[in-house]
Every structure is written in C-alpha cells, then in structure tokens.
Amino acid sequence: MEKYQKKLQKHLDKGRYEHTLGVMYTCAALAMAYHYDMEKAMLAGLLHDCAKNIPNDKKLELCKKHHIEVTEVERENPFLLHAKVGAWVAKKKYDIRDEEILHAIKVHTTGEPAMQTLDMILFIADYIEPCRDKAANLEQIREMAFRSLEQTVEQILFDTLHYLNQKSGRIDPTTEVTYEYYKNRRERSL
Ligand code: DGI
Ligand code: FE
Ligand code: FE
C-alpha cells in the first residue's frame, strides 16, 4: 500500500490526496461491515481518482491511443473520463491486475446497473468520506451506508441527479439508468 501512496501523492494535489485517503479508510470500514476483503477495498479507494489530475485533452488523447470508448456526454464533460482512464492507469501504471478493483474504479462516478459489492463500496465511500461536506443528507446517507449498500446507492444517485438537474449539468445516461435500476429493484422487493 505504501509504494502506491508515495506514487499517487506525486500525481495528485494535496486536497485530492486527502480525499483519496478518506475514501481508502471509508472503503475499509464498509468492507468490515459487509465482510468484503479489506485490502482490496482499500486499494480501490486509494487509486480510484488516480487519473483526476490528468488534463482533459490528455485524457481524450489517452482514450484515442488506447482504444477506450468515449461517449458524446464524456466528450462534452471530459472530467467524467477520469473513472475509465483511472482504471486504465491503475492497470498500466500501478500494475493492478485484480479485475474487481479495476471495474470499481471504472464505474465510480456514474455507477452502473447491478454493481458488485466492491463497486458499491467504492461508489458510496467516494460520496461519504470524512472530508466531504457539501452534499445534502450526508448524515443520513452515512448512517444508511452501514445498513444497505443498494439503498444507499439509490439515495446517492437520486441526490446526484437532483443536484445535476439544478445546476443544469449534462447528465450521463448511465447515471440515470443506474438510478432507475436501483429504484425498480427496491420497488419490486416491496
Ligand atoms: O472524483 P470525485 O470528485 O471524488 O467524485 P466523482 O468521481 O464521483 O465525481 C463527482 C462529480 O461527478 C459530482 O460533481 C457529480 C458528478 N456527476 C456524477 N454523475 C454525473 C456527473 N456529472 C455529470 N455531468 N453527469 C453525470 O451523469
Ligand atoms: Fe472520481
Ligand atoms: Fe473521488
């Protein structure tokens, strides 16, 4: 873990690195609560934003060069690509071979339907880690995170869509599809 930390610190600004450590430890806590491999969860948390400080044009260039598909919304909002590109960087530059970790990094911003345990742990940890303070309902979501991963994912997506609608940010269809998936899943089980 330490060798990854040293390298990451060089590629992230101070605030982003602190966020990263917050996500890493929150991933550990959630892994404990849901009997998931703690080391793997921490590694996913540590590396999830490893591509965050790559400039947009460079991210688009990397995608082109390495045949990573870029959707129309991603082209308009290249910051979204830090997740996909992050999975690539984790594999090629940090030598991560674990597919669960790489996948969790890849989907950490929009989520996707039917996520695996680590995908949900990282998605949630990114939102609730201790440095976060702006999102609505944080206290409630932090508590919910330790009761149900699926319900928490649904709540975070609901709040994120609401936030994006308010500030008229372009919404990635994956974010919407994922929200609908978790909402329907809960309603079916009622
Ligand atoms: O990289 P972080 O800031 O730690 O967190 P993140 O990768 O989850 O990105 C969070 C931001 O992404 C937050 O401001 C909401 C935004 N976001 C999430 N889904 C979408 C989105 N932005 C757009 N434009 N479209 C989306 O579907
Ligand atoms: Fe991110
Ligand atoms: Fe993050």
Side-chain angles (χ1 to χ4, degrees):
M1 204 73 74
E2 263 165 54
K3 66 171 192 220
Y4 296 121
Q5 290 192 14
K6 280 222 174 71
K7 183 164 173 172
L8 252 182
Q9 219 167 352
K10 285 190 214 128
H11 291 277
L12 299 176
D13 60 69
K14 190 161 175 286
R16 184 58 48 181
Y17 185 67
E18 266 164 30
H19 160 69
T20 280
L21 293 182
V23 176
M24 177 176 84
Y25 286 117
T26 306
C27 279
L30 289 169
M32 291 177 205
Y34 292 101
H35 311 284
Y36 189 83
D37 184 323
M38 204 167 66
E39 292 283 321
K40 269 174 69 162
M42 289 176 80
L43 203 46
L46 184 67
L47 293 172
H48 82 285
D49 275 339
C50 67
K52 193 77 181 185
N53 283 25
I54 301 177
N56 285 340
D57 53 347
K58 177 93 189 172
K59 278 202 292 281
L60 287 162
E61 197 186 303
L62 279 169
C63 288
K64 197 165 176 200
K65 196 164 161 199
H66 301 288
H67 312 287
I68 301 167
E69 190 207 344
V70 179
T71 65
E72 194 194 315
V73 187
E74 287 169 339
R75 198 167 293 281
E76 275 177 36
N77 302 270
F79 90 90
L80 287 167
L81 283 171
H82 80 277
K84 271 184 190 173
V85 173
W88 183 87
V89 172
K91 187 171 183 181
K92 301 291 177 186
K93 307 286 176 188
Y94 293 84
D95 211 29
I96 302 299
R97 296 291 130 170
D98 187 296
E99 288 298 329
E100 283 180 1
I101 294 177
L102 296 174
H103 188 264
I105 296 175
K106 185 177 165 200
V107 302
H108 87 262
T109 303
T110 60
E112 76 174 14
M115 287 189 276
Q116 298 300 302
T117 303
L118 184 57
D119 300 333
M120 293 190 282
I121 285 178
L122 178 58
F123 184 82
I124 293 166
D126 193 19
Y127 197 86
I128 67 168
E129 64 95 1
C131 301
R132 296 282 203 208
D133 59 1
K134 291 195 182 61
N137 310 320
L138 258 184
E139 199 179 312
Q140 183 212 347
I141 291 174
R142 282 179 170 138
E143 197 227 312
M144 194 191 260
F146 291 88
R147 289 191 280 113
S148 163
L149 291 173
E150 283 83 2
Q151 260 195 55
T152 310
V153 165
E154 183 192 340
Q155 184 66 50
I156 290 172
L157 287 162
F158 179 84
D159 288 352
T160 300
L161 288 170
H162 181 75
Y163 164 79
L164 290 169
N165 276 323
Q166 268 189 339
K167 63 161 219 164
S168 63
R170 181 84 190 268
I171 292 170
D172 190 314
T174 314
T175 309
E176 276 172 322
V177 170
T178 307
Y179 169 65
E180 290 301 325
Y181 172 88
Y182 283 95
K183 181 169 165 276
N184 290 333
R185 190 182 177 283
R186 175 175 50 78
E187 285 170 356
R188 276 199 315 272
S189 73
L190 290 179

